[in-house]
Amino acid sequence: MSSIQEKVESAFLQTLNNLPPLKKLHLICAYSGGPDSSVLLFLLKKFQKLYSYGLTAAYVNHNIRSEKEMSQEMHQVRCFVEEHQIDFQVKTYAPGFIEWYARKKGLGIEAAARQCRYHFFSSLSKKYSHSLLVLGHNGNDQTETLLMRLFQGAGPEGLKGIRQIEGQLLRPLLAVSRSDILSYAENQKILYWNDSTNSGGDYRRNRIRQELVPVLDSIFPDFRKAFYGHIEDYTALGDFASFSLSWKTHPEGWTIPRKDFSTLPFSARKKLVLEKINLLNKGRLPRDFRIPGGFFNPLEDLESDRILLKGYGISVKIQGEDLILSSHDRKKNCGLFHLLDQKNPYDSEALSLALSDPSEGKSGYKYNPERYLLVREMERGGGGLYDGHQCLLKWNSEGTIIYRSQVFKKKLENRAYEGLDCIIIELEVKDALG
């Protein structure tokens, strides 16, 4: 066994060995045909018998490149999965859809393509039980991500970087450099396709990769080692400071002495509050949801009694000698809130609401929410469906629709969404007496 083969495969297997018994899992590999995902899929297939997991390659054609290039890439991708006898799932977006979606959401093309790609991966996770999404992120991706977050002012949590195992996501090549991946592909004669969009300098990450990192390498050849060490020290200090204090239960929620809280550095204050936000919103917010850093700025000034923060499910105020954090959404609205997405359908005694991909052939109300939909359940029965701006539907305790906004009605009737990847809301009214 060559040294590069042993190096890459050892790093790959170390991640797999940290998982629960893999024979119960089905691994969905995000496969693009590029070097990272091709090496990843090759390794997943090579060790499949050893660990007895299910394996699927998931490929997305965004149709943002030339038809000729996509045809060539698709041919090579299909040859690869057929040669290795791997289950293959494909999603093809109509030409122009990603550009339209980017304009509608106010995103760049890369971010829009990513959102659509992960929507497809999420839909596949329902098809295979006990599934994990396996991604080909490598050590270079980690460096680029940390540099981006550093210059964007991220705190200790953000500077922990990409994690190898994160919920339903798995990144077995995160400890492997891009150069080692390319060497392994050459060593094992793994064919891959070079995406022309990766060589462009239009995207921020590509500019970091092509312009900033080479400059850092030329000035500080070992900058990655020093950089990671500094990040680890900074993160450890933040963790140590926040671990020295913890929230105590309080009639209104949780509390920390103001004097003790004021001795912490700002990053540790932010971390303590952010942990509560994440806990209270677990399962309710999308995976890519981010809280603007400016939201936490009031935590710097603790001089006078007032409400410091309000939003994202929490309220933080100074009251006398204490800092009090409470869950304000549920108190204020006297109801329960449910994030409605494809993984979290809403279900009550009167009705159920679920989202599905229109390509699955299901019927219902068509609607394109800006980010996600929220269901509010009232204490006396009934509830409402919200898009973050207004109420779209209201129903009573028997499941009868008692209000439908005109905006929502127009969107339901707008045939421009037909044929596109909009969301379908399936509403099933139940027998209230049954």
Side-chain angles (χ1 to χ4, degrees), residues 21 41 85-86 111 116 134 155 172 192 198 206 270 307 309 319 373 391 393 407 415:
L41 188 57
Q85 298 181 325
I86 300 170
C116 293
V134 191
Y192 57 83
N198 286 336
N206 280 334
K270 177 181 173 181
I307 294 177
L309 306 175
Q319 184 173 298
L373 296 178
C391 179
L393 292 175
V407 173
R415 300 178 65 85

Side-chain angles (χ1 to χ4, degrees), residues 14 30 32 36 44 66-67 84-85 98 103 126 138 168 175 216 224 228-229 238 257 265-266 278 283 294 411:
Q14 184 176 356
S32 67
D36 300 333
L44 288 170
S66 70
E67 184 178 348
H84 294 91
Q85 298 181 325
I98 299 297
R103 290 193 300 271
K126 300 176 184 177
N138 59 54
Q168 298 301 111
L216 292 174
R224 289 176 180 80
Y228 290 147
F266 175 73
N278 290 336
K411 288 191 176 184

Side-chain angles (χ1 to χ4, degrees), residues 327-337 376-382:
S327 175
H328 81 87
D329 275 347
R330 295 185 179 182
K331 275 178 168 284
K332 178 181 177 182
N333 294 290
C334 300
L336 297 176
F337 284 79
R376 177 185 174 191
E377 186 179 65
M378 305 305 293
E379 290 182 341
R380 297 182 180 179

Side-chain angles (χ1 to χ4, degrees), residues 15 18-20 114 118 131-135 137 142 145 149 157-158 160-172 174 278 282 286-290 343:
T15 305
N18 290 329
L19 292 170
R114 181 183 182 278
Y118 276 83
S131 64
L132 291 179
L133 177 61
V134 191
L135 305 171
H137 293 132
Q142 181 76 289
T145 297
R149 293 181 180 178
E157 285 301 304
K160 287 181 179 177
I162 308 171
R163 295 178 173 86
Q164 285 189 316
I165 302 173
E166 183 180 10
Q168 298 301 111
L169 302 180
L170 179 64
R171 302 179 177 93
L174 198 57
N278 290 336
K282 189 174 182 179
R287 184 191 303 128
D288 62 348
F289 187 80
R290 295 290 183 269
K343 289 186 176 180

Side-chain angles (χ1 to χ4, degrees), residues 128-360:
Y128 305 97
S129 59
H130 306 294
S131 64
L132 291 179
L133 177 61
V134 191
L135 305 171
H137 293 132
N138 59 54
N140 293 51
D141 296 316
Q142 181 76 289
T143 300
E144 294 157 13
T145 297
L146 285 170
L147 285 170
M148 288 174 65
R149 293 181 180 178
L150 178 67
F151 293 122
Q152 288 172 333
E157 285 301 304
L159 291 177
K160 287 181 179 177
I162 308 171
R163 295 178 173 86
Q164 285 189 316
I165 302 173
E166 183 180 10
Q168 298 301 111
L169 302 180
L170 179 64
R171 302 179 177 93
L173 298 180
L174 198 57
V176 183
S177 70
R178 182 67 181 274
S179 60
D180 284 346
I181 287 174
L182 293 175
S183 296
Y184 184 86
E186 182 179 3
N187 180 272
Q188 298 295 307
K189 296 180 174 53
I190 301 172
L191 297 178
Y192 57 83
W193 182 264
N194 280 313
D195 181 346
S196 64
T197 60
N198 286 336
S199 60
D202 298 333
Y203 305 133
R204 180 169 50 186
R205 181 178 288 274
N206 280 334
R207 291 196 65 189
I208 291 174
R209 178 183 306 146
Q210 297 170 16
E211 300 175 26
L212 179 58
V213 171
V215 170
L216 292 174
D217 270 326
S218 66
I219 301 174
F220 306 105
D222 295 325
F223 90 90
R224 289 176 180 80
K225 183 177 180 181
F227 181 55
Y228 290 147
H230 179 69
I231 294 299
E232 288 178 3
D233 290 343
Y234 175 59
T235 302
L237 286 172
D239 288 345
F240 177 78
S242 59
F243 288 154
S244 66
L245 273 181
S246 61
W247 295 99
K248 306 296 182 184
T249 56
H250 183 273
E252 296 183 40
W254 301 268
T255 184
I256 282 180
R258 174 164 55 163
K259 183 178 180 181
D260 294 341
F261 192 78
S262 66
T263 63
L264 298 177
F266 175 73
S267 60
R269 300 180 193 182
K270 177 181 173 181
K271 184 175 186 294
L272 278 167
V273 175
L274 185 59
E275 285 175 347
K276 278 297 180 188
I277 292 177
N278 290 336
L279 178 64
L280 293 172
N281 287 291
K282 189 174 182 179
R284 297 178 59 221
L285 296 176
R287 184 191 303 128
D288 62 348
F289 187 80
R290 295 290 183 269
I291 298 175
F295 174 75
F296 299 96
N297 287 345
L299 294 175
E300 292 188 289
D301 181 9
L302 307 175
E303 293 302 318
S304 57
D305 285 16
R306 70 186 195 281
I307 294 177
L308 290 174
L309 306 175
K310 195 168 186 179
Y312 305 103
I314 61 105
S315 175
V316 178
K317 66 180 180 180
I318 298 175
Q319 184 173 298
E321 300 300 317
D322 296 315
L323 206 75
I324 299 173
L325 185 150
S326 58
S327 175
H328 81 87
D329 275 347
R330 295 185 179 182
K331 275 178 168 284
K332 178 181 177 182
N333 294 290
C334 300
L336 297 176
F337 284 79
H338 307 264
L339 175 70
L340 185 64
D341 60 21
Q342 292 194 26
K343 289 186 176 180
N344 298 289
Y346 167 77
D347 190 70
S348 72
E349 294 181 357
L351 56 80
S352 63
L353 290 172
L355 305 185
S356 63
D357 188 325
S359 65
E360 296 172 355

Side-chain angles (χ1 to χ4, degrees), residues 26-34 36-38 40-42 44 54-62 73-74 77-78 80-81 86-93 113 116-128 131-136:
H26 191 100
L27 304 185
I28 300 172
C29 177
Y31 178 46
S32 67
D36 300 333
S37 65
S38 295
L40 175 61
L41 188 57
F42 177 87
L44 288 170
L55 179 61
T56 292
Y59 174 82
V60 178
N61 178 2
H62 302 99
E73 178 180 284
M74 191 66 183
V77 162
R78 286 194 180 278
F80 189 93
V81 295
I86 300 170
D87 175 45
F88 190 41
Q89 298 292 326
V90 181
K91 175 69 176 181
T92 301
Y93 287 96
C116 293
R117 187 163 63 247
Y118 276 83
H119 173 72
F120 171 56
F121 296 152
S122 177
S123 68
L124 283 181
S125 67
K126 300 176 184 177
K127 183 175 181 179
Y128 305 97
S131 64
L132 291 179
L133 177 61
V134 191
L135 305 171

Side-chain angles (χ1 to χ4, degrees), residues 372-396:
Y372 52 86
L373 296 178
L374 207 60
V375 174
R376 177 185 174 191
E377 186 179 65
M378 305 305 293
E379 290 182 341
R380 297 182 180 179
L385 179 67
Y386 300 81
D387 70 350
H389 301 288
Q390 62 178 318
C391 179
L392 304 177
L393 292 175
K394 282 187 179 180
W395 54 87
N396 61 21

